C-alpha cells in the first residue's frame, strides 16, 4: 500500500471517528472531574491537583470543540445520521459536575464571561438541533428534555460562579451579618462571660440538637462568622465572644475538627455546587434526572422502531452518553444526601424520626466510605533550607516535578494531637491576655494590635535572661527573622545530636515541634509567600541559599557529628564578612551560638531551651496567620487546606482578629 492510500485511509478513519472520539472524551472528563474534583478539598496531592487542573481546563474546550463539529456535521446527508441529542448533551457537559464549578477563585470573577458563553453555546446547540430538523432525524424529540437539562445545568453553574464572585458574595453577606448582630447584640460582654451553658445553647439556637450532631451546628455558626470575615467585614464583640466560649470548652482535637468542617463549608460555597440543601436545588436535581431518564426511555423505544436510523457505533455511543449522564446525576445526588450540608439540615429539624435517620446514616459503612478522609489530611509540608541546598549538588536527574517547579517539598509531617494541643493551648493563653472585661474605654489602650504583633518577643519578655534575644524577632522584615530562626533551629538540633554521640532519637517533644514548624514556615516562604507578611522573602531566601553554598564547607563542620568549637574565629568571621547583603545566614549562626550557650547556663538545659524555641515558632506561626488576607487563606482550600489557615480561623473565633469589632459597651 502506497503513501497516498495510507493517507486516504487515515483521513477516512479520522472523519468517521473524529466526532465519536471527542464525544467519548468529553464524557470521560466529566466522570473524572466528579470523582476526583472533590479530592482537592482534603488532600494536598501534587498529581491529583495537576490532573484535576488539566481535566478542568480540557472539559470546557473539548465540549465546545465537539459542539462546533456537531453544528457542521449534524443533518448533513453525506456524513450519515448523527443523533440530534448529542448537541444538548454537550451543553450538559459544559454545565460541569457538582463537585467542581471553579478551579480557582479567579474563575468565580469570570462569571460574566461564562454567561456570554452560555448564551452562545445555547445558540450553537439550537442551530445543530434545527439542522437535525432539516435532516429529518426520526428521534429528534429525544433532544428536547436533554436541551432543558443542559440549560438548567449550565445556568446553575453560572449562578454559582456569580454568587461566589467578590462583589456578589459581599452583598449577600450583609444580610447575614445583620442577622448575626441582631441575634447577639442584645447581650453585654459581662453577660456573656456569666452566661450558663444551658442559656448559651439556647441563645445560639442549639437546643434540641442531638449530641452526635452538635459539632455540625456549632461549625455552621462558626461558618456564618467566617463568611462575614471573608467578605472583609467586621463582627461585634458579642459574636466572637459566643464562639470563644464554645471553643474554650473544647479539647484541641475537637476545636480543630470544628475548623475542618467550617473550612469544608467554605470550600463548597466557593468551588462547587454543593451547598445548603434548598428547595430550589432539590427541584433542579429532580428535573435534570427526570429529563435524562425520559430521554433514555424515548431513545430506547425509538431505536426499537427505527433500528436502521443510526449506525451501531452511534447507537452504542448514544447509550453511553445517556447512561453516563444518569450515573453522574445519581452520584451527585448521593454526594449531596450524605454531605455535611444534608446532615446539618436533617438534624436541624429537631424531630425524633429525622434524628433516627441521622444516627442510622452515621452508623452505616456506606457513609464511612463516602466520608473517608474528606476534611483534612492533617499534614504539613517540610522544607529545610540547609539540607535542601546540600542535596541539590547531588541530584543527577531532573524529575518532572522539578520541571513543574514543585520540587521544594522534601517531606510531609502529620499534624498530630500533641502539636494541635500545643498550638491550641498557646492561643487560649494568648486570649487570656486580651480580656474584654478588663479593657479600658479608651480605644488607644486596647492591646489587641500589640498581641497580634508578637513574633516571640512576649516569650523573651517573661525573663530578664532572655532580653538579649529580642533582636532576632524584631527585624523590620519578618522573613529575616523566620530564616534566622530556621537556620538557628537546624544548627541547634545537629549540635545537640553531636553532643548526644550522634543519636538523633534522643530528642525532646519540643525539639520535634520546633523543627517541624520551622521547616513548614520555610516551605510557605518558598512555595506560597503570599501567605506570609509582605517583605523580600524570596530574595532573602535566594541570597541565604547562595551564602550557604559559599560556606558549604564551614556549615558541614557546624552540623557534622565531629567535635567542633562554636568559638572558632575563622568560621564566625568568614560568615560575618559575607557579601550577601540580605542573607540571613550570619544572623542564624549568631542566634544558634547564643541559644546553645543558653542551654549550659545555670537553671537551664536542653528541655527548657527547646521549650522556648518551640514557643517562638508558634508565635511566628500565629503572627503570620493573623497577617494574611482571607482571600489568600481561601486559596489554600483547593489543596487540602494549610495549618496556617486553621490557626487563623481559631484565632478569629477566639476574638484574636482585628476584624472583631470592639465597642465601649462594657456594662
Amino acid at each position: 500500500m502506497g503513501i497516498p492510500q495510507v493517507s486516504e485511509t487515515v483521513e477516512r478513519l479520522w472523519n468517521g471517528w473524529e466526532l465519536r472520539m471527542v464525544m467519548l472524551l468529553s464524557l470521560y472528563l466529566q466522570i473524572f472531574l466528579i470523582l476526583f474534583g472533590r479530592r482537592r478539598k482534603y488532600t494536598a496531592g501534587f498529581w491529583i491537583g495537576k490532573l484535576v487542573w488539566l481535566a478542568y481546563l480540557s472539559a470546557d474546550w473539548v465540549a465546545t470543540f465537539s459542539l462546533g463539529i456537531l453544528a457542521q456535521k449534524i443533518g448533513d446527508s453525506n456524513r450519515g445520521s448523527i443523533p440530534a441529542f448529542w448537541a444538548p448533551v454537550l451543553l450538559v457537559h459544559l454545565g460541569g459536575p457538582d463537585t467542581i464549578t471553579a478551579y480557582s477563585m479567579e474563575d468565580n470573577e469570570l462569571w460574566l464571561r461564562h454567561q456570554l458563553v452560555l448564551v452562545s453555546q445555547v445558540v450553537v446547540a439550537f442551530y445543530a438541533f434545527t439542522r437535525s430538523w432539516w435532516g429529518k432525524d426520526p428521534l429528534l424529540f429525544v433532544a428536547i428534555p436533554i436541551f432543558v437539562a443542559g440549560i438548567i445545568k449550565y445556568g446553575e453553574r453560572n449562578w454559582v460562579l456569580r454568587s461566589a464572585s467578590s462583589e456578589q458574595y459581599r452583598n449577600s453577606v450583609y444580610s447575614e451579618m445583620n442577622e448575626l448582630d441582631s441575634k447577639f447584640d442584645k447581650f453585654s460582654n459581662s453577660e456573656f462571660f456569666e452566661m450558663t451553658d444551658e442559656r448559651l445553647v439556647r441563645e445560639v439556637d442549639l437546643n434540641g440538637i442531638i449530641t452526635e450532631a452538635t459539632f455540625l451546628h456549632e461549625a455552621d455558626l462558626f461558618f456564618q462568622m467566617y463568611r462575614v470575615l471573608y467578605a472583609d467585614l467586621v463582627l461585634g464583640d458579642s459574636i466572637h465572644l459566643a464562639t470563644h466560649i464554645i471553643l474554650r470548652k473544647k479539647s484541641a482535637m475537637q476545636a480543630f475538627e470544628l475548623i475542618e468542617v467550617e473550612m469544608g463549608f467554605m470550600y463548597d460555597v466557593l468551588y462547587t455546587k454543593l451547598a445548603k440543601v434548598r428547595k430550589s436545588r432539590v427541584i433542579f436535581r429532580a428535573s435534570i434526572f427526570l429529563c435524562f431518564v425520559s430521554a433514555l426511555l424515548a431513545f430506547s423505544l425509538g431505536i426499537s422502531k427505527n433500528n436502521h436510523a443510526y449506525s451501531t457505533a452511534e447507537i452504542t455511543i448514544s447509550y453511553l452518553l445517556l447512561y453516563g449522564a444518569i450515573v453522574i446525576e445519581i452520584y451527585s445526588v448521593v454526594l449531596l444526601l450524605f454531605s455535611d450540608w444534608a446532615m446539618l439540615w436533617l438534624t436541624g429539624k429537631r424531630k425524633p424520626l429525622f434524628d433516627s435517620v441521622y444516627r442510622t446514616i452515621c452508623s452505616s459503612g456506606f457513609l464511612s466510605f463516602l466520608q473517608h478522609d474528606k476534611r483534612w489530611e492533617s499534614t504539613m509540608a517540610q522544607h529545610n533550607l540547609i539540607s535542601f541546598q546540600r542535596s541539590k549538588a547531588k541530584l543527577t536527574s531532573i524529575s518532572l516535578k522539578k520541571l513543574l517547579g514543585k520540587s521544594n517539598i522534601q517531606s510531609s509531617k502529620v499534624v498530630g494531637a500533641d502539636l494541635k494541643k500545643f498550638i491550641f493551648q498557646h492561643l487560649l493563653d494568648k486570649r487570656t491576655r486580651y480580656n474584654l472585661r478588663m479593657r479600658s474605654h479608651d480605644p488607644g489602650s486596647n492591646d489587641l494590635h500589640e498581641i497580634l504583633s508578637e513574633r516571640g518577643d512576649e516569650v523573651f519578655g517573661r525573663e530578664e535572661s532572655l532580653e538579649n534575644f529580642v533582636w532576632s524577632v524584631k527585624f523590620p522584615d519578618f522573613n529575616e527573622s523566620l530564616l534566622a530562626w530556621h537556620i538557628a533551629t537546624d544548627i541547634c538540633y545537629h549540635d545537640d545530636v553531636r553532643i548526644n554521640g550522634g543519636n538523633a532519637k534522643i530528642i525532646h517533644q519540643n525539639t520535634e515541634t520546633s523543627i517541624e514548624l520551622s521547616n513548614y514556615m520555610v516551605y510557605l516562604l518558598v512555595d506560597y509567600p503570599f501567605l506570609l507578611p509582605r517583605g523580600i522573602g524570596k530574595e532573602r531566601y535566594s541570597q541565604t541559599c547562595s551564602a550557604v553554598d559559599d560556606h558549604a564547607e564551614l556549615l558541614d563542620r557546624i552540623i557534622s557529628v565531629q567535635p567542633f568549637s562554636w568559638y572558632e574565629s575563622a568560621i564566625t568571621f568568614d560568615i560575618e564578612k559575607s557579601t550577601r547583603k540580605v542573607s540571613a545566614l550570619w544572623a542564624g549562626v549568631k542566634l544558634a551560638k547564643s541559644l546553645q550557650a543558653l542551654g549550659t547556663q545555670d537553671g537551664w538545659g536542653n528541655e527548657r531551651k527547646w521549650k522556648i524555641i518551640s514557643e517562638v515558632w508558634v508565635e511566628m506561626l500565629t503572627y503570620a496567620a493573623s497577617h494574611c488576607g482571607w482571600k489568600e487563606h481561601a486559596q489554600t482550600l483547593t489543596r487540602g487546606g494549610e495549618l496556617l489557615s486553621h490557626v487563623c480561623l481559631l484565632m478569629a473565633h477566639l476574638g484574636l482578629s482585628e476584624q472583631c469589632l470592639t465597642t465601649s459597651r462594657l456594662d
Side-chain angles (χ1 to χ4, degrees):
M1 183 182 292
I3 293 179
Q5 289 82 1
V6 172
S7 177
E8 289 176 7
T9 303
V10 171
E11 183 179 359
R12 186 168 57 254
L13 285 173
W14 173 251
N15 290 334
W17 281 92
E18 173 192 19
L19 180 59
R20 299 167 184 172
M21 294 302 296
V22 292
M23 291 297 296
L24 291 175
L25 177 59
S26 182
L27 175 61
Y28 167 76
L29 290 172
Q30 295 301 306
I31 295 173
F32 179 86
L33 285 174
I34 198 168
L35 290 177
F36 295 97
R38 65 192 290 264
R39 291 179 65 87
R40 302 188 307 155
K41 182 177 179 178
Y42 57 82
T43 181
F46 173 79
W47 291 114
I48 285 292
K50 291 302 178 185
L51 289 174
V52 170
W53 168 75
L54 183 61
Y56 176 82
L57 292 181
S58 301
D60 284 359
W61 180 85
V62 169
T64 303
F65 176 70
S66 304
L67 201 54
I69 297 176
L70 266 172
Q72 178 186 7
K73 291 187 175 183
I74 208 166
D76 188 345
S77 58
N78 296 325
R79 300 281 186 176
S81 186
I82 299 173
F85 67 84
W86 282 16
V89 163
L90 291 170
L91 201 59
V92 172
H93 291 178
L94 284 168
D98 288 5
T99 54
I100 177 170
T101 54
Y103 183 82
S104 64
M105 291 175 58
E106 290 75 14
D107 292 326
N108 293 320
E109 305 303 324
L110 299 176
W111 68 269
L112 199 58
R113 179 185 298 179
H114 282 277
Q115 190 171 30
L116 179 61
V117 173
L118 168 61
V119 174
S120 62
Q121 298 305 331
V122 167
V123 171
V124 173
F126 185 75
Y127 170 72
F129 177 75
T130 55
R131 283 178 63 86
S132 296
W133 188 286
W134 300 332
K136 298 180 181 180
D137 189 332
L139 298 181
L140 185 65
F141 57 88
V142 177
I144 297 175
I146 303 179
F147 216 111
V148 174
I151 294 176
I152 292 175
K153 204 168 180 68
Y154 203 172
E156 186 182 20
R157 179 189 183 186
N158 196 62
W159 178 79
V160 170
L161 290 170
R162 180 178 181 273
S163 300
S165 63
S166 299
E167 183 179 356
Q168 294 298 323
Y169 183 91
R170 186 181 176 91
N171 292 337
S172 67
V173 168
Y174 271 118
S175 59
E176 193 163 332
M177 182 181 67
N178 294 332
E179 183 181 339
L180 279 172
D181 286 337
S182 63
K183 182 185 293 186
F184 297 108
D185 218 27
K186 55 187 176 182
F187 301 106
S188 65
N189 297 340
S190 58
E191 282 183 284
F192 259 108
F193 277 103
E194 296 164 4
M195 194 177 290
T196 62
D197 291 354
E198 293 76 13
R199 187 182 177 192
L200 178 63
V201 166
R202 186 171 64 253
E203 295 300 337
V204 297
D205 199 25
L206 295 178
N207 54 307
I209 303 296
I210 57 175
T211 306
E212 300 93 320
T214 301
F215 79 99
L216 277 176
H217 292 266
E218 290 174 340
D220 183 50
L221 174 65
F222 284 24
F223 173 63
Q224 293 176 49
M225 179 177 173
Y226 185 11
R227 282 174 55 84
V228 175
L229 296 174
Y230 174 77
D232 290 328
L233 301 173
V234 293
L235 289 165
D237 282 343
S238 53
I239 300 172
H240 68 258
L241 272 175
T243 56
H244 167 222
I245 293 171
I246 292 173
L247 271 180
R248 72 183 183 185
K249 296 173 183 175
K250 303 287 184 184
S251 67
M253 295 299 290
Q254 291 172 331
F256 272 88
E257 183 182 12
L258 279 177
I259 301 303
E260 290 167 22
V261 177
E262 176 188 6
M263 293 180 75
F265 286 154
M266 181 57 81
Y267 174 87
D268 288 339
V269 168
L270 293 178
Y271 302 107
T272 76
K273 297 179 186 177
L274 300 171
K276 285 189 175 181
V277 178
R278 303 179 189 274
K279 186 177 179 179
S280 58
R281 289 188 56 79
V282 174
I283 295 174
F284 284 156
R285 296 270 71 80
S287 300
I288 294 172
F289 180 75
L290 289 175
C291 284
F292 278 116
V293 171
S294 62
L296 177 61
L297 292 175
F299 181 74
S300 301
L301 292 173
I303 286 296
S304 63
K305 295 179 180 180
N306 302 276
N307 55 353
H308 297 296
Y310 310 116
S311 67
T312 302
E314 265 70 33
I315 293 174
T316 302
I317 292 174
S318 296
Y319 274 120
L320 286 174
L321 291 173
L322 291 172
Y323 276 115
I326 291 174
V327 170
I328 287 175
E329 285 305 310
I330 292 175
Y331 186 71
S332 298
V333 171
V334 170
L335 287 180
L336 180 61
L337 290 178
F338 290 94
S339 67
D340 284 335
W341 295 105
M343 299 301 104
L344 183 70
W345 174 85
L346 195 64
T347 54
K349 294 299 180 181
R350 296 174 171 85
K351 295 180 180 179
L353 177 60
F354 289 86
D355 293 340
S356 298
V357 173
Y358 173 77
R359 290 190 177 99
T360 302
I361 291 174
C362 288
S363 60
S364 67
F366 183 63
L367 179 63
S368 300
F369 170 75
L370 282 179
Q371 293 187 343
H372 178 65
D373 289 338
K374 73 168 188 174
R375 294 195 177 112
W376 184 40
E377 280 186 325
S378 291
T379 60
M380 53 181 175
Q382 302 284 286
H383 179 89
N384 184 281
L385 186 150
I386 294 178
S387 67
F388 185 74
Q389 284 302 113
R390 296 174 75 208
S391 64
K392 277 177 67 175
K394 301 175 183 178
L395 293 177
T396 57
S397 61
I398 301 178
S399 65
L400 178 60
K401 206 171 181 180
K402 184 176 181 181
L403 289 174
L404 293 172
K406 292 294 180 182
S407 61
N408 295 317
I409 300 177
Q410 294 173 281
S411 63
S412 292
K413 294 292 184 180
V414 175
V415 183
D418 290 335
L419 180 55
K420 288 179 179 178
K421 182 179 179 181
F422 183 61
I423 293 173
F424 187 56
Q425 188 57 53
H426 180 84
L427 294 179
L428 290 177
D429 293 342
K430 186 183 286 285
R431 182 60 176 80
T432 59
R433 293 189 286 116
Y434 177 58
N435 193 329
L436 294 180
R437 290 178 297 179
M438 302 295 291
R439 195 173 65 240
S440 167
H441 288 272
D442 179 11
S445 65
N446 184 353
D447 60 353
L448 176 60
H449 179 75
E450 181 181 341
I451 290 175
L452 295 179
S453 298
E454 294 170 350
R455 305 180 188 174
D457 38 314
E458 191 276 332
V459 178
F460 301 135
R462 299 176 198 159
E463 300 184 50
E464 292 184 5
S465 60
L466 298 178
E467 288 182 354
N468 59 329
F469 286 92
V470 175
W471 65 270
S472 64
V473 294
K474 284 296 187 181
F475 288 113
D477 184 6
F478 169 76
N479 300 292
E480 185 170 5
S481 295
L482 189 157
L483 287 171
W485 272 91
H486 172 71
I487 292 169
T489 301
D490 196 35
I491 291 176
C492 287
Y493 165 72
H494 284 93
D495 198 38
D496 285 356
V497 171
R498 177 174 56 249
I499 293 171
N500 289 330
N503 189 349
K505 295 182 179 179
I506 307 178
I507 60 174
H508 303 286
Q509 176 62 45
N510 288 325
T511 307
E512 186 176 359
T513 297
S514 302
I515 293 170
E516 290 178 356
L517 289 179
S518 169
N519 292 341
Y520 173 66
M521 294 294 287
V522 174
Y523 149 74
L524 293 179
L525 174 63
V526 175
D527 275 1
Y528 301 105
F530 60 84
L531 292 175
L532 299 179
R534 294 177 181 176
I536 56 171
K538 294 289 283 187
E539 177 64 21
R540 198 175 295 280
Y541 172 85
S542 177
Q543 291 210 17
T544 303
C545 288
S546 298
V548 168
D549 292 337
D550 294 343
H551 304 91
E553 192 174 318
L554 298 178
L555 285 170
D556 283 343
R557 295 182 62 189
I558 293 177
I559 63 177
S560 67
V561 295
Q562 302 300 321
F564 164 73
S565 171
W566 272 101
Y567 298 97
E568 290 186 28
S569 58
I571 291 179
T572 56
F573 179 78
D574 193 59
I575 295 178
E576 186 177 8
K577 298 296 287 184
S578 172
T579 57
R580 308 291 178 179
K581 297 301 182 183
V582 296
S583 166
L585 179 60
W586 163 240
V589 172
K590 176 184 176 183
L591 177 60
K593 290 173 61 177
S594 300
L595 287 170
Q596 290 302 84
L598 180 68
T600 60
Q601 291 182 7
D602 292 339
W604 284 82
N606 267 355
E607 187 171 357
R608 189 177 176 188
K609 175 191 71 179
W610 281 107
K611 185 175 186 299
I612 292 296
I613 295 175
S614 64
E615 289 177 348
V616 171
W617 275 115
V618 174
E619 279 285 279
M620 288 196 176
L621 180 70
T622 57
Y623 176 83
S626 63
H627 285 76
C628 175
W630 290 106
K631 297 293 190 300
E632 286 73 21
H633 282 301
Q635 291 180 34
T636 69
L637 298 177
T638 60
R639 54 178 186 273
E642 292 286 355
L643 172 63
L644 189 78
S645 300
H646 287 73
V647 172
C648 183
L649 272 174
L650 280 173
M651 294 178 69
H653 294 314
L654 288 171
L656 296 172
S657 169
E658 292 188 343
Q659 280 181 257
C660 294
L661 186 65
T662 56
T663 68
S664 60
R665 284 196 327 114
L666 301 174
D667 46 332

